[in-house]
């Protein structure tokens, strides 16, 4: 008996080879924007979950507020 494979991929891994659409992210602090491939923020950006919502911060804002981020303060306190 053989196991079924996905029709989209001969190897059965479910990857049909199509690229994900780039995601547009905006810095919650300064408003800077960037295109992020693969559905995630750019590698130099950080994100925080505050009150159940994901907020992204650009590299500049992240560096300027590093102590507050590490202290786990909400961005309202920065």
């Amino acid at each position: 008996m053989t196991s079924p494979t996905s029709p989209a991929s001969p190897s059965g891994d479910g990857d049909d080879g199509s690229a994900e659409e780039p995601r547009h992210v905006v810095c919650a602090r300064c408003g800077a924007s960037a295109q992020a491939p693969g559905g995630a923020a750019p590698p130099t950006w950080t994100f925080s979950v505050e009150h159940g919502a994901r907020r992204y911060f650009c590299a500049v804002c992240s560096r300027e507020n590093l102590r507050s981020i590490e202290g786990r303060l909400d961005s309202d306190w920065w």
Side-chain angles (χ1 to χ4, degrees), residues 20 28 47 59 70 73:
E20 286 188 42
F47 77 91
E70 288 181 343
L73 295 175

Side-chain angles (χ1 to χ4, degrees), residues 3-45:
S3 62
T5 59
S6 169
S9 174
S11 64
D13 62 5
D15 183 13
D16 64 358
S18 63
E20 286 188 42
E21 291 293 320
R23 181 176 180 181
H24 183 78
V25 293
V26 177
C27 178
R29 184 143 178 90
C30 72
S33 63
Q35 291 289 340
T44 57
W45 285 43

Side-chain angles (χ1 to χ4, degrees), residues 5 15 30-31 49 53 61 64 68 71 73-74:
T5 59
D15 183 13
C30 72
V49 177
C61 290
E64 289 176 354
S68 297
L73 295 175
D74 284 347

